[in-house]
Amino acid sequence: MISRMTMKFVMLATFATVFLFSASAYAAKPGEVLTSPESGWQRYDDTDPNIYWSTTPTRFSPVPDWYNKTDTGSATIGTKIVFYFQGTQVRLIGGTYKNKSNNISVKIDGNPAGEFSQYSSTAIAQVLLFENKGLNSGIHMVEVTNNQSAWMELDAVDIDATGSLIGFQPTNLQASIDNSVVTLHWDSIPQASGYNVKRSTTAGGPYTTIASAVTSNFYKDTSAISGVTYYYVVCTVTFGCESSNSVEAKAALPQIPETPNELKASAGSASVKLNWSSVSNAIGYNLKRASASGGPYTTIATVTGTTYTDLSVSNGNTYYYVISAVNSDGESKNSKEVSATPAELVVHRVLLTLTLTTGLEKEYDLSLDEVNAFLDWYEKKSAGSGAALFIFNKHENNIGPFKSRKDYIVYDKILTFGINEYVPAR
């Protein structure tokens, strides 16, 4: 038989069990005040940097009734709040009052998820405004839109205790050089409207936006200048909200030398002499040759100067040349093509025979230049100008024991002269 004391204990234990079960089963509902996160939830303040606003909001602080004594809001119609979180459930916490919007809509992952109002006749802080607890485990994007020209305010966001509020700035930004263009790649952000690409010539910025609303997760910077180091960041634009910047990536296009110009070729006997204009940032030049116009060319020498004599050629063949400039960053394009045909050097000599008024004959073995100099002097004297004498250098011809022999001829003493050109035997 059970005593009264035992019966009371059983009844108390039963009552306590029922009370504890009911207390643990209780959960706040939208419209109720919720000053701290319930079991299984965690709270993020409105000041969290991963909560973004499409317009510049107003931050109110400090007010004791608000969570962490802060509250953020905007009275601009169309203003959006955007944030991403990892988890399965989300709650929005904020105040209500008669100056606040009664038409606020929520989308999750781009799909309508409900509406709520912050309007009330009395001021109430930390109200559970909206919740969704039936999401699949993963990353979700929340978009909150104010559809009225009245205050939309946010005090805090609650999500799973095991989840996290995450930023939606692009990740894994990579910069590479592709065909003299800086190419940027980054990981896509779900629900992103686009991306803004920013650039600086200083690490850490300040950055200038060089491309807006890029819809893909890559961008080619065609305005980058060779030899300049650039620092890039990318931010996500989602429904008018711009994320914080990605981690910085840097790149520098190689400063490849300019193409040499004014390449010239002059042929000699079994030789071709080449010369060109220098290129300021070149450390050398590649000389290339082909046996047909347009190539293909073979590099025959790399030199640091601006002249080169090609001695590996044969007389009678035509050779085609181009040149490129090189430095540690690479090689320029080929210059315009020039050509030359080496030929055996033919030396012409002249026997000049003078008959003087005295009947004396003089014969001189001269070069073409020396004969031309004599003829030029003779014509000037005939016209009444020029030196009275012309000096013939007899060079090694019958020099005998003397260091040199020269003949001085007076114009008036020349009766006639004859010129006989010949090619000396080899």
Side-chain angles (χ1 to χ4, degrees):
M1 186 173 181
I2 303 174
S3 66
R4 289 185 179 181
M5 184 62 70
T6 303
M7 181 64 72
K8 285 183 178 181
F9 176 78
V10 172
M11 290 176 65
L12 286 172
T14 303
F15 174 78
T17 301
V18 172
F19 176 78
L20 290 173
F21 175 79
S22 300
S24 63
Y26 174 78
K29 296 180 176 58
E32 296 179 349
V33 174
L34 187 61
T35 58
S36 61
E38 294 183 318
S39 177
W41 296 79
Q42 62 174 317
R43 180 160 294 184
Y44 288 85
D45 190 38
D46 58 285
T47 59
D48 191 282
N50 292 320
I51 299 174
Y52 302 90
W53 293 71
S54 63
T55 58
T56 303
T58 300
R59 181 153 291 159
F60 303 98
S61 176
V63 176
D65 290 342
W66 290 330
Y67 182 74
N68 281 349
K69 300 180 181 181
T70 63
D71 186 69
T72 305
S74 172
T76 303
I77 187 171
T79 295
K80 295 179 183 292
I81 304 170
V82 175
F83 61 89
Y84 284 70
F85 76 96
Q86 173 80 44
T88 62
Q89 55 189 11
V90 60
R91 283 174 167 173
L92 304 178
I93 312 297
T96 62
Y97 194 47
K98 58 186 177 182
N99 67 337
K100 292 182 171 57
S101 175
N102 66 3
N103 188 353
I104 302 173
S105 57
V106 181
K107 289 184 178 180
I108 298 179
D109 300 332
N111 301 312
E115 298 178 348
F116 66 89
S117 171
Q118 289 188 264
Y119 177 84
S120 70
S121 58
T122 57
I124 307 173
Q126 298 192 62
V127 176
L128 173 55
L129 302 171
F130 169 87
E131 72 173 7
N132 190 315
K133 298 188 291 184
L135 301 171
N136 294 327
S137 179
I139 295 176
H140 300 282
M141 189 273 292
V142 178
E143 172 196 358
V144 184
T145 305
N146 184 10
N147 300 305
Q148 188 180 27
S149 184
W151 284 96
M152 174 178 69
E153 295 180 16
L154 181 68
D155 192 10
V157 172
D158 287 359
I159 62 169
D160 315 54
T162 57
S164 61
L165 204 63
I166 58 178
F168 64 96
Q169 64 268 27
T171 58
N172 196 30
L173 176 63
Q174 303 288 328
S176 60
I177 306 301
D178 181 17
N179 197 24
S180 297
V181 171
V182 178
T183 300
L184 302 170
H185 289 270
W186 58 90
D187 292 343
S188 298
I189 300 298
Q191 307 297 324
S193 304
Y195 305 92
N196 292 341
V197 180
K198 305 175 185 180
R199 186 180 73 184
S200 175
T201 54
T202 304
Y207 303 100
T208 300
T209 299
I210 60 172
S212 301
V214 177
T215 55
S216 59
N217 66 329
F218 70 91
Y219 177 75
K220 292 183 179 292
D221 182 8
T222 58
S223 64
I225 300 172
S226 295
V228 179
T229 299
Y230 294 100
Y231 301 86
Y232 296 90
V233 292
V234 179
C235 65
T236 307
V237 180
T238 300
F239 305 109
C241 296
E242 185 178 80
S243 75
S244 54
N245 292 329
S246 68
V247 174
E248 187 180 74
K250 72 175 182 178
L253 287 179
Q255 194 171 10
I256 297 173
E258 295 181 358
T259 302
N261 55 29
E262 298 182 4
L263 176 62
K264 297 177 181 177
S266 56
S269 178
S271 67
V272 175
K273 185 176 182 179
L274 301 159
N275 59 79
W276 57 90
S277 299
S278 63
V279 176
S280 60
N281 62 335
I283 61 174
Y285 304 90
N286 287 338
L287 273 299
K288 306 174 186 180
R289 187 182 71 193
S291 58
S293 179
Y297 303 100
T298 300
T299 300
I300 59 172
T302 298
V303 298
T304 56
T306 56
T307 61
Y308 178 77
T309 301
D310 183 7
L311 299 176
S312 60
V313 293
S314 300
N315 291 333
N317 295 326
T318 300
Y319 299 91
Y320 301 86
Y321 297 90
V322 293
I323 186 172
S324 63
V326 294
N327 64 14
S328 58
D329 285 334
E331 181 180 11
S332 74
K333 295 180 179 179
N334 290 333
S335 67
K336 291 183 179 180
E337 184 184 76
V338 296
S339 64
T341 305
E344 184 179 357
L345 181 62
V346 178
V347 179
H348 292 267
R349 301 288 295 178
V350 175
L351 285 177
L352 174 64
T353 303
L354 298 181
T355 301
L356 304 181
T357 56
T358 60
L360 182 64
E361 251 187 23
K362 291 276 195 179
E363 186 177 81
Y364 303 97
D365 189 350
L366 305 173
S367 68
L368 286 176
D369 289 340
E370 289 173 313
V371 171
N372 288 332
F374 167 76
L375 293 175
D376 182 63
W377 169 79
Y378 192 85
E379 289 176 358
K380 287 180 179 179
K381 286 300 295 180
S382 297
S385 63
L389 302 173
F390 187 85
I391 303 172
F392 286 100
N393 190 336
K394 303 188 78 172
H395 301 294
E396 303 296 327
N397 186 22
N398 297 323
I399 193 171
F402 309 106
K403 290 184 178 180
S404 66
R405 293 182 65 194
K406 295 180 181 178
D407 279 359
Y408 292 80
I409 301 298
V410 179
Y411 171 78
D412 292 339
K413 300 300 181 180
I414 299 174
L415 182 62
T416 63
F417 61 85
I419 294 175
N420 296 289
E421 184 178 350
Y422 73 97
V423 176
R426 286 182 288 175

